Amino acid sequence: MIMKPETTFRGTGRRKTSTARVRLFPGSGKFTVNNRELATHLKVERFVKMATAPLTVTNLASSYDIVVDVSGGGNVGQAGAISLGIARALQKMNPELRSPMKKAGLLTRDGREKERKKSGQPGARKRFQFSKR
């Protein structure tokens, strides 16, 4: 049985409550998020740079097409999830890209989540004002 080389690489990224499923395949550099362009989905330039950081570090922005399905959370969480998903897909494609992405901190999942509100308090840490008398 002859195995053909895999041309589509997948990666999953998570951040806060966002989850991004990334598909990476050879192409011209087209970047689609939820059937829209990246710039129209993430409107702030800082979030676009955060999401495309793995491509910038590896200099592969114009040689691969990326299709992302992202759900949950807000702009920051989605940008971080997209970034991690792309980094994991690139690592599957070429294991030699691991060290530059690892040095840039792109392969580490940011595990910080929102702390839950406790009963008898107005928020997670804030307390109601204490009255001695």
Side-chain angles (χ1 to χ4, degrees), residues 37-117:
E37 285 189 28
L38 177 67
T40 57
H41 186 77
L42 298 173
K43 293 176 176 59
V44 181
E45 183 66 29
R46 179 170 47 111
F47 300 147
V48 173
K49 284 183 181 178
M50 183 190 306
T52 58
L55 298 171
T56 307
V57 169
T58 58
N59 297 321
L60 295 173
S62 61
S63 55
Y64 287 94
D65 289 344
I66 298 171
V67 177
V68 181
D69 294 321
V70 66
S71 62
N75 290 333
V76 178
Q78 287 188 356
I82 291 168
S83 176
L84 182 60
I86 292 170
R88 286 179 172 172
L90 286 171
Q91 182 183 349
K92 280 184 185 175
M93 181 193 72
N94 186 356
E96 293 175 4
L97 297 175
R98 178 178 170 81
S99 63
M101 288 193 296
K102 187 76 173 169
K103 282 182 184 173
L106 299 172
L107 290 171
T108 306
R109 187 206 190 283
D110 191 348
R112 296 177 293 171
E113 303 252 342
K114 187 172 181 179
E115 188 174 339
R116 76 174 196 88
K117 179 193 173 299

